[in-house]
């Protein structure tokens, strides 16, 4: 543990997505399930499974512009939800990245009053201060929060548009999925909110352990300092022993320990950081394929956690995706294209085949 | 009392999000009891599965806490080793051993390890099948490094005749009458406790005549998918 760990951001499930938001409010948001939103200049990806040819369902959409970059960056993770392919391995999963140049907001709000356009400029300048050095987008809830002065002009714009949608929600909501394509598998959409891993790191409930310790001391009649002095008289019969886990392996135990602070995390984001392996990593990880467009190195960007499996529900039962953890590696130089992902299977998978 | 209920601890925890497939099946109540998991020897990797199945009836007890030392180039590094035994009063027992710099952390982690190592205990009769089963159904031997522990069945009323260290796990397993014979360096408490625990867990591996009858059960893979 000599290297300094890069900060890790956790994605947690938030409120469900209502209706079908469109416009920057939609592709600015990170969400799980639902229909993939496209950036203004890029077509929404509609991939098919390599194994069975069925259209893939959107698992997660992550809005993650890079620090110091002028591009909006959107990553889509698709998976095949057919029963036969749900444990199909990397051929049933696809990751796409799309990006477009950020257009300064003042041009988009020409129709607004002078006051509003000033506020819009402030929003642009304040963009870099939004949060810490993170590449993850702020929660979409913030854009709808009237208390947030920096983006108040933007709020008015987006809520107005959403209000328009609401009027036709009853019709659009039902028609929307079918309007795009009849057979597209869909998971129920939820927004993803972001938290820092450090907030959850020290959450270990030691009350029970303390009460057990008190009972032990009462029973044996010794106090803590006596325990320590015992060590001096002890001639080393008992030695420090490494824990040997009877079932499962050491890597899995470490994985469980690390996520114990925040069990409901569904995404771990750490640009160019270290992934948290579920099972012992195979040679796949050391021999990552280089980017096919520029030949550059691929680096770890984020991973999907097993808690996501129980959160991916669909309106019509029968759609399910099973995995242990999905590690997504993207091109360092960030060209828009298909990215590479490694799937680590659930350790129990072999038992239930 | 020396022990404390697990339920009080579990109540404060947040909702469990399973990580493994077995966890998901248990949470969705497709696998209803631990016995189904034991029947197919499925490895239990999440301690919350045990919490879910056995829940309030689990009781933890700290066996022993001892400081262990490691020599570093500057000084000695002292850590605490905690032995925690866990039981429910219905024939399940587990033992966890964990070393850590702080006592409370060691106890906490040892509890998790104890849950992961829970095994079912089979009890039987010495002579007539009157009353409840009270002893090991056959002679068993457990070992851990150099320590060997034999458990020998005895008629009702004998009580547990053994050194204090294996007496605890035997009592917790619900075995009332037993002779024990130990060999090896029994002064190492860790090995002695683990050897007696190993002996108890070997009981179910023994094919006794009442298990001879053939039974057909559906594998969980078929039953749940």
């Amino acid at each position: 543990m000599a290297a300094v760990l890069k900060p890790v951001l956790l994605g947690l499930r938030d409120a469900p997505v209502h209706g079908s938001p469109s416009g920057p409010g939609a592709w600015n948001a990170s969400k799980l399930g639902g229909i993939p939103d496209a950036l203004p200049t890029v077509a929404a990806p509609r991939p098919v499974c390599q194994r069975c040819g069925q259209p893939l369902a959107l698992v997660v959409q992550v809005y993650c512009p890079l620090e110091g970059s002028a591009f909006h960056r959107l990553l889509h993770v698709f998976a095949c939800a057919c029963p036969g392919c749900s444990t199909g391995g990397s051929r049933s999963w696809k990751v796409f990245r799309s990006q477009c140049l950020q257009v300064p907001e003042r041009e988009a709000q020409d129709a607004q009053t002078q006051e509003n356009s000033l506020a819009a400029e402030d929003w642009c300048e304040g963009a870099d201060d939004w949060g810490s050095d993170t590449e993850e987008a702020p929660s979409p809830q913030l854009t709808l929060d009237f208390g947030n002065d920096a983006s108040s002009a933007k709020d008015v714009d987006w809520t107005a548009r959403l209000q328009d949608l609401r009027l036709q929600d009853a019709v659009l909501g039902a028609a929307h999925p079918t309007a795009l394509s009849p057979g597209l598998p869909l998971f129920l959409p939820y927004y993803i909110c972001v938290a820092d891993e450090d907030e959850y790191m020290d959450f270990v409930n030691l009350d029970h352990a303390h009460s057990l310790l008190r009972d032990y001391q009462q029973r044996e009649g010794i106090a803590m300092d006596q325990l320590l002095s015992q060590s001096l008289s002890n001639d080393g019969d008992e030695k420090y022993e490494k824990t040997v886990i009877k079932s499962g392996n050491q890597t899995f135990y470490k994985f469980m320990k690390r996520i114990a602070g925040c069990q409901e995390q569904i995404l771990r984001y750490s640009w160019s950081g270290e992934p948290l392996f579920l099972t012992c990593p195979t040679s796949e990880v050391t021999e990552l394929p280089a980017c096919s467009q520029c030949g550059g190195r691929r680096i770890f960007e984020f991973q999907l956690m097993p808690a996501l499996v129980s959160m991916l529900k669909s309106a019509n039962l029968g759609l399910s995706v099973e995995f242990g953890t999905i590690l997504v590696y993207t091109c360092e130089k960030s060209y828009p294209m298909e990215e590479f992902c490694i799937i680590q299977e659930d350790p129990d998978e072999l038992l239930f085949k | 009392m020396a022990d404390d209920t697990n339920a009080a601890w579990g109540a404060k925890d947040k909702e469990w999000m399973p990580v493994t497939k077995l966890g998901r099946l248990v949470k969705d109540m497709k696998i209803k009891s631990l016995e189904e998991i034991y029947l197919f020897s499925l490895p239990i990797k999440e301690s919350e599965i045990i919490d879910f199945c056995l829940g309030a009836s689990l009781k933890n007890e700290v066996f022993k806490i001892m400081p262990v030392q490691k020599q570093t180039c500057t000084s000695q590094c002292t850590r605490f080793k905690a032995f925690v035994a866990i039981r429910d009063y219905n024939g399940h027992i587990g033992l966890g051993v964990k070393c850590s710099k702080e006592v409370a952390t060691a106890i906490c982690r040892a509890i998790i390890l104890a849950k992961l190592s829970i095994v079912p205990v089979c009890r039987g009769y010495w002579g007539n099948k009157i009353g409840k089963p009270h002893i090991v159904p056959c002679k068993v031997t457990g070992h851990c490094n150099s320590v060997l522990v034999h458990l020998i069945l005895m008629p009702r009323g004998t009580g547990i005749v053994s050194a204090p260290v294996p007496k605890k796990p035997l009592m917790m397993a619900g075995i009332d009458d037993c002779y024990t014979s130990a060999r090896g360096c029994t002064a190492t408490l860790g090995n002695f406790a683990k050897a007696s625990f190993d002996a108890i867990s070997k009981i179910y591996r023994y094919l006794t005549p009442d298990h001879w009858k053939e039974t057909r059960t559906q594998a969980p893979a078929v039953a749940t998918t």
Side-chain angles (χ1 to χ4, degrees):
Chain A
M1 297 274 256
V4 172
L5 294 171
K6 290 217 160 89
V8 177
L9 295 168
L10 304 179
L12 307 163
R13 187 175 71 169
D14 210 348
V17 177
H18 291 299
S20 319
S22 65
W27 51 256
N28 243 347
S30 302
K31 65 178 185 188
L32 65 102
I35 302 167
D37 298 310
L39 287 171
T41 48
V42 182
R46 295 264 183 268
V48 288
C49 177
Q50 277 181 338
R51 278 174 63 137
C52 61
Q54 294 289 316
L56 298 181
L58 177 71
V59 172
V60 138
Q61 167 181 305
V62 182
Y63 175 68
C64 45
L66 292 177
E67 201 183 313
S69 153
F71 285 91
H72 288 296
R73 209 157 151 271
L74 201 58
L75 271 159
H76 291 105
V77 182
F78 292 90
C80 188
C82 311
C85 284
S86 58
T87 53
S90 52
R91 286 172 64 206
S92 327
W93 288 78
K94 282 203 188 299
V95 181
F96 288 100
R97 186 191 52 228
S98 42
Q99 56 191 43
C100 76
L101 200 55
Q102 276 179 8
V103 174
E105 279 302 307
R106 63 194 88 141
E107 290 170 10
Q109 301 201 8
D110 276 336
Q112 300 291 329
T113 61
Q114 189 65 16
E115 214 177 81
N116 278 352
S117 64
L118 278 174
E121 279 178 30
D122 286 344
W123 176 79
C124 261
E125 281 158 30
D128 287 335
D129 297 336
W130 211 341
S132 49
D133 303 308
T134 65
E135 294 88 353
E136 185 77 313
S139 161
Q141 249 70 355
L142 284 174
T143 62
L144 301 173
D145 183 10
F146 286 100
N148 193 347
D149 293 333
S151 60
S152 54
K154 198 165 173 298
D155 293 341
V156 172
D157 200 20
W158 305 145
T159 48
R161 288 194 198 184
L162 285 172
Q163 271 166 11
D164 292 334
L165 283 175
R166 218 183 290 142
L167 288 170
Q168 297 154 17
D169 210 13
V171 177
L172 261 182
H176 199 82
T178 52
L180 281 174
S181 77
L184 197 69
L186 269 187
F187 291 116
L188 293 175
Y190 289 89
Y191 285 116
I192 297 177
C193 68
V194 180
D196 221 339
E197 196 189 17
D198 294 331
E199 294 165 28
Y200 293 95
M201 278 300 252
D202 299 319
F203 183 82
V204 180
N205 194 356
L206 291 176
D207 298 338
H208 182 65
H210 283 300
S211 68
L212 281 179
L213 180 61
R214 272 196 302 273
D215 291 332
Y216 173 78
Q217 285 172 340
Q218 239 175 357
R219 190 173 20 123
E220 302 282 317
I222 50 172
M224 274 307 296
D225 32 347
Q226 275 180 307
L227 262 180
L228 270 169
S229 65
Q230 252 178 29
S231 70
L232 298 168
S233 54
N234 200 3
D235 52 335
D237 269 353
E238 284 288 345
K239 301 235 170 2
Y240 175 70
E241 57 182 87
K242 271 192 172 296
T243 318
V244 173
I245 317 281
K246 191 177 74 169
S247 60
N249 51 19
Q250 196 68 17
T251 321
F252 184 79
Y253 179 64
K254 282 193 181 154
F255 179 91
M256 292 296 290
K257 223 163 62 165
R258 189 84 191 264
I259 69 166
C262 176
Q263 286 200 336
E264 58 268 12
Q265 59 187 267
I266 51 178
L267 203 140
R268 284 177 76 89
Y269 189 96
S270 176
W271 169 258
S272 167
E274 277 300 310
L276 191 64
F277 291 110
L278 185 69
T279 48
C280 242
T282 59
S283 59
E284 259 192 326
V285 177
T286 43
E287 300 161 359
L288 293 169
C291 172
S292 53
Q293 278 201 358
C294 66
R297 204 168 59 104
R298 279 209 158 103
I299 53 173
F300 173 71
E301 183 155 358
F302 66 88
Q303 71 183 107
L304 301 180
M305 305 298 278
L308 187 57
V309 178
S310 16
M311 291 187 188
L312 286 172
K313 293 178 273 242
S314 65
N316 51 319
L317 313 165
L319 287 187
S320 74
V321 182
E322 300 253 339
F323 59 86
T325 183
I326 311 278
L327 312 169
V328 177
Y329 290 82
T330 55
C331 176
E332 229 181 347
K333 295 193 189 62
S334 197
Y335 289 114
M337 53 168 302
E338 181 175 340
E339 297 296 356
F340 180 70
C341 63
I342 292 178
I343 289 129
Q344 287 204 316
E345 293 249 316
D346 191 327
D348 285 346
E349 209 44 66
L350 294 170
L351 303 167
F352 288 96
K353 281 233 156 70
Chain B
M1 276 298 290
D3 45 47
D4 202 354
T5 55
N6 199 47
W9 184 38
K12 290 181 212 159
D13 271 6
K14 300 176 284 195
E15 200 203 327
W16 166 40
M17 297 296 311
V19 168
T20 56
K21 180 152 186 182
L22 186 63
R24 283 191 282 273
L25 290 172
V26 168
K27 193 166 180 209
D28 295 335
M29 306 289 277
K30 297 222 170 91
I31 290 182
K32 294 184 191 62
S33 73
L34 265 186
E35 269 59 42
E36 288 176 49
I37 302 178
Y38 289 139
L39 190 60
F40 297 101
S41 305
L42 300 174
I44 297 172
K45 293 187 174 129
E46 291 184 79
S47 59
E48 289 89 348
I49 293 175
I50 307 287
D51 276 329
F52 199 84
C53 292
L54 295 178
S57 51
L58 278 174
K59 281 198 169 24
N60 303 323
E61 189 174 327
V62 174
F63 222 101
K64 183 119 182 118
I65 295 173
M66 55 186 15
V68 289
Q69 284 185 328
K70 177 176 131 175
Q71 194 77 28
T72 58
C73 49
T74 47
S75 65
Q76 285 164 334
C77 160
T78 307
R79 278 184 265 222
F80 294 98
K81 195 158 157 178
F83 294 85
V84 173
I86 191 170
R87 73 190 184 281
D88 81 332
Y89 289 99
N90 213 8
H92 295 102
I93 183 170
L95 177 74
V97 182
K98 185 70 184 166
C99 209
S100 181
K101 281 199 208 118
E102 285 166 45
V103 188
T105 321
I107 293 177
C108 212
R109 302 252 166 88
I111 291 173
I112 294 177
L113 287 175
K115 284 186 194 160
L116 288 175
S117 70
I118 279 200
V119 284
V121 176
C122 182
R123 285 157 293 174
Y125 296 96
W126 180 81
N128 290 328
K129 292 193 173 57
I130 305 167
K132 292 225 144 149
H134 58 112
I135 50 163
V136 285
C138 55
K139 276 193 197 173
V140 280
T141 310
H143 66 269
C144 175
N145 293 343
S146 74
V147 181
L148 213 73
V149 172
H150 294 289
L151 300 180
I152 299 144
L153 46 170
M154 277 292 130
R156 205 181 282 276
T158 317
I160 300 178
V161 180
S162 81
V165 172
K167 201 170 198 162
K168 269 248 170 71
L170 287 174
M171 263 175 21
M172 290 170 111
I175 293 168
D176 300 324
D177 312 287
C178 195
Y179 268 16
T180 55
S181 162
R183 202 203 136 91
C185 186
T186 54
T188 12
L189 187 124
N191 288 342
F192 203 6
K194 281 199 219 168
S196 47
F197 181 72
D198 183 45
I200 296 170
S201 51
K202 276 191 175 154
I203 298 170
Y204 253 124
R205 292 189 217 177
Y206 204 95
L207 193 69
T208 50
D210 42 320
H211 295 142
W212 286 355
K213 188 163 180 219
E214 203 179 302
T215 48
R216 280 173 206 283
T217 42
Q218 254 190 338
V222 177
T224 56
T225 52

